Amino acid sequence: MSVQEGWTGRIYEDFEVGDIYQHPIGRTVTQTDNIWITLLTVNSNPIHFDAHYAAQTKFSRPLVDSTFTLALVTGLSVSDISQNGINLGWDEVRLPAPVFEGDTLYARSELLSKRESKSYSNRGIIQVKTKGY
């Protein structure tokens, strides 16, 4: 019997423009997730933690803090996209629908472009569009 190495993520050469990566892991958002991120970010908007207040809004229940949604969708993509790299930032972040406690999120990414790094030899830059759903 031999020991098999686990998945260690893609490297620059593995990426092809137009590839779509359906990230396999989903994550159900819990009330604890929402409370912790709201406290950690000092977000005092009661729509995230006051059920009575939230019940009087058009959503009728607490919304999950959008910074958690962004972080979670990014995290779901790491094993396929940035396990061996550095995430240099986000551009054009959109949150088209609310997320609620109990929702399960998944993500998929499309490789938009790739190029050799101008600053570092043997390195490359990729641009992806990641969507959570």
Side-chain angles (χ1 to χ4, degrees), residues 14-89:
D14 296 329
F15 293 102
E16 295 296 331
V17 174
D19 284 352
I20 294 176
Y21 304 97
Q22 184 68 45
H23 309 301
I25 298 173
R27 171 76 155 61
T28 302
V29 179
T30 67
Q31 181 181 40
T32 301
D33 295 327
N34 197 32
I35 291 170
W36 283 0
I37 196 70
T38 300
L39 291 171
L40 287 169
T41 59
V42 194
N43 185 337
S44 60
N45 189 325
I47 200 159
H48 300 301
F49 57 84
D50 184 334
H52 176 73
Y53 175 86
Q56 298 171 54
T57 70
K58 71 178 184 176
F59 303 107
S60 303
R61 55 190 167 149
L63 293 176
V64 170
D65 186 308
S66 58
T67 57
F68 180 80
T69 304
L70 177 60
L72 178 56
V73 169
T74 300
L76 293 173
S77 73
V78 167
S79 65
D80 291 318
I81 302 297
S82 61
Q83 184 77 33
N84 296 312
I86 299 170
N87 182 352
L88 296 177

Side-chain angles (χ1 to χ4, degrees), residues 86-104:
I86 299 170
N87 182 352
L88 296 177
W90 297 281
D91 188 21
E92 298 183 31
V93 174
R94 290 183 175 77
L95 302 163
V99 174
F100 300 102
E101 298 162 1
D103 287 351
T104 301

